Amino acid sequence: MRSRPMLASVAVRAALILTLVAAAAGCASKTSSPGGGVGSPAKELDSPDIASGTDFSHRFSTAGTFGYHCKYHAVMTGSVDVNASAVDSVVTVTISTSTGPFPAASVKPGGTVTWHNGTAMTHTVTSN
């Protein structure tokens, strides 16, 4: 008799979603929760591929400066400054090139940054 994988959802922080773990032998596990969880230490930013014309959003719970990059384009680096004196709680970063850095972003703690891919290429938003 063949065993079936069991999936478990665990809420880690209000800032991001959940961790899925395949419990059957031979199944891989995937951690996508900032601030802790199953497996190796999680990254604050760990987007899936952001296809052309689509968005990725992330809520920042704590103050600090969060550096990030695109896994596919080494020149694409950026940072998000999260501080109480920031002007906005909601910011959109439009990705308009694959040959330069991301535009700067600054939000209040608890604020959300949305990256919109305005290029024809796929990108990621991944913590350094």
Side-chain angles (χ1 to χ4, degrees), residues 51-112:
S52 178
T54 64
D55 298 334
F56 169 73
S57 295
H58 180 75
R59 181 178 168 267
F60 290 87
S61 297
T62 58
T65 300
F66 301 88
Y68 65 94
H69 63 278
C70 174
K71 291 191 286 189
Y72 303 117
H73 307 98
V75 70
M76 296 182 69
T77 60
S79 65
V80 176
D81 183 31
V82 181
N83 68 74
S85 62
V87 175
D88 293 312
S89 293
V90 177
V91 172
T92 298
V93 173
T94 299
I95 304 168
S96 59
T97 181
S98 301
T99 60
F102 290 95
S106 182
V107 292
K108 296 179 181 295
T112 299

Side-chain angles (χ1 to χ4, degrees), residues 24-47:
C27 291
S29 65
K30 166 77 173 147
T31 300
S32 57
S33 54
V38 178
S40 61
K43 299 176 179 185
E44 181 72 27
L45 293 166
D46 191 15
S47 77

Side-chain angles (χ1 to χ4, degrees), residues 5-12 17-24 29-31 38:
M6 295 171 33
L7 297 179
S9 294
V10 179
V12 178
I17 317 214
L18 51 89
T19 301
L20 294 176
V21 180
S29 65
K30 166 77 173 147
T31 300
V38 178

